[in-house]
């Protein structure tokens, strides 16, 4: 197993839409909710904020869909169909939709209820405020979807197993005449739960220094490989 002195990062970027003007029209905060640790059969409440940044009144439909990591750059895939199992099916909203005037914002409290037979480990979904009802919504890449990633940990018999597949300087470069120096990683999460490790890269020799190995405070999901980068800006002494 990887010692926690060498750390990983995963930056999940939830692309709100392929239509740029829509991204400016509505905002959901926060981007990621990852502090939900519950036992099977227990419930938790969390909150997100929807802001209508358009110039007209809008109705937003609330719903959730499961997601999985894909690729090595932090992308996710959203289930296009309604899934009767998984984290999305555990989420309940107080209302099906909200209507906000221009510039208005509203906090949405939602409930996560883990079934008694919920499998220990990580469970993942995206919570959406969509300008189209979920029964005609076609997925994350179409107009109308803005969401937040929800990472839930079910307590029990879980495994944390993080392994470094590669570590080198950018393009395996050995000599530098300018800063910063970039470090590239490929890390595999063989465990059953997401992690947000912490640690340092220790530089020795003439320019001895320490570098934050997780500068973006990012996460790694199970059964995925992630490309990571960190950087050294020069001696801190």
């Amino acid at each position: 197993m990887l010692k926690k002195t060498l750390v990983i990062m995963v930056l999940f970027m939830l692309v709100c839409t392929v239509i740029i003007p829509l991204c400016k029209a509505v905002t959901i905060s926060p981007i990621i909710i990852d502090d939900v640790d519950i036992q099977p059969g227990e419930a938790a409440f969390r909150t997100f904020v929807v802001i209508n940044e358009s110039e007209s009144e809008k109705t937003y439909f609330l719903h959730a869909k499961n997601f999985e990591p894909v690729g090595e750059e932090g992308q996710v895939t959203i289930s296009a169909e309604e899934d009767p199992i998984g984290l999305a099916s555990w989420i309940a909203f107080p209302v099906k939709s909200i209507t906000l005037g221009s510039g208005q914002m509203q906090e949405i409290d939602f409930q996560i209820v883990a079934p008694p037979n919920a499998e220990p480990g990580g469970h993942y979904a995206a919570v959406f405020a969509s300008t189209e009802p979920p029964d005609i919504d076609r997925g994350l890449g179409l107009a109308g979807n803005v969401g937040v990633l929800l990472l839930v940990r079910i307590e029990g018999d879980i495994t944390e197993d993080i392994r470094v597949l590669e570590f080198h300087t950018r393009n395996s470069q050995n000599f530098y005449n300018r800063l910063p120096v970039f470090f590239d990683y490929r890390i595999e999460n063989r465990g059953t739960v997401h992690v947000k490790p912490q640690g340092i890269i220790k530089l020795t020799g003439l320019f001895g220094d320490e570098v934050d190995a997780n500068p973006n405070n990012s996460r790694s999901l199970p059964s995925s490989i992630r490309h990571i980068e960190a950087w050294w800006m020069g001696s801190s002494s």
Side-chain angles (χ1 to χ4, degrees), residues 56-77:
S56 61
E57 182 179 89
K58 297 288 184 181
T59 295
Y60 302 103
F61 299 89
L62 307 176
H63 59 107
K65 290 184 178 180
N66 296 324
F67 78 81
E68 295 179 352
V70 61
E72 297 189 8
E73 301 300 329
Q75 308 98 319
V76 300
T77 57

Side-chain angles (χ1 to χ4, degrees), residues 17-181:
T17 177
V18 295
I19 301 180
I20 299 300
L22 181 64
C23 293
K24 298 179 180 179
V26 59
T27 298
I28 285 187
S29 179
I31 298 174
I32 299 176
I33 298 175
D34 69 344
D35 62 343
V36 185
D37 299 350
I38 54 178
Q39 299 286 344
E42 289 187 347
F45 289 88
R46 290 297 184 272
T47 301
F48 64 93
V49 176
V50 180
I51 306 172
N52 178 7
E53 297 183 355
S54 73
E55 296 180 355
S56 61
E57 182 179 89
K58 297 288 184 181
T59 295
Y60 302 103
F61 299 89
L62 307 176
H63 59 107
K65 290 184 178 180
N66 296 324
F67 78 81
E68 295 179 352
V70 61
E72 297 189 8
E73 301 300 329
Q75 308 98 319
V76 300
T77 57
I78 305 295
S79 174
E81 304 296 332
E82 295 299 327
D83 195 339
I85 61 175
L87 177 56
S89 67
W90 306 353
I91 297 171
F93 298 99
V95 294
K96 293 184 178 181
S97 65
I98 59 172
T99 299
L100 300 178
S102 176
Q104 285 189 329
M105 62 177 288
Q106 183 171 331
E107 290 188 350
I108 306 296
D109 296 318
F110 64 99
Q111 186 178 28
I112 307 156
V113 182
N117 62 345
E119 183 178 354
H123 298 264
Y124 310 105
V127 177
F128 291 104
S130 173
T131 55
E132 295 181 340
D135 57 345
I136 64 172
D137 180 44
R138 295 190 180 94
L140 184 63
L142 298 182
N145 273 321
V146 178
V148 53
L149 298 182
L150 178 62
L151 284 60
V152 172
R153 173 178 171 137
I154 299 298
E155 301 293 350
D157 185 14
I158 62 175
T159 301
E160 293 188 5
D161 187 354
I162 306 297
R163 307 188 184 194
V164 177
L165 302 180
E166 295 180 20
F167 173 76
H168 49 76
T169 57
R170 177 69 50 81
N171 299 321
S172 298
Q173 187 173 344
N174 294 321
F175 299 96
Y176 295 84
N177 57 14
R178 68 184 63 183
L179 295 173
V181 175

Side-chain angles (χ1 to χ4, degrees), residues 174-235:
N174 294 321
F175 299 96
Y176 295 84
N177 57 14
R178 68 184 63 183
L179 295 173
V181 175
F182 288 96
F183 303 96
D184 285 329
Y185 310 68
R186 291 180 69 244
I187 291 184
E188 182 178 13
N189 185 344
R190 297 187 181 183
T192 60
V193 69
H194 52 280
V195 294
K196 186 169 62 175
Q198 298 177 349
I200 61 171
I201 302 169
K202 187 172 183 179
L203 308 178
T204 59
L206 181 62
F207 300 104
D209 204 353
E210 293 183 349
V211 176
D212 186 352
N214 190 8
N216 290 314
N217 201 29
S218 301
R219 303 126 180 106
S220 172
L221 267 65
S223 302
S224 66
I225 296 175
R226 181 68 167 106
H227 167 251
I228 304 156
E229 71 171 18
W231 52 88
W232 179 58
M233 299 298 296
S235 178

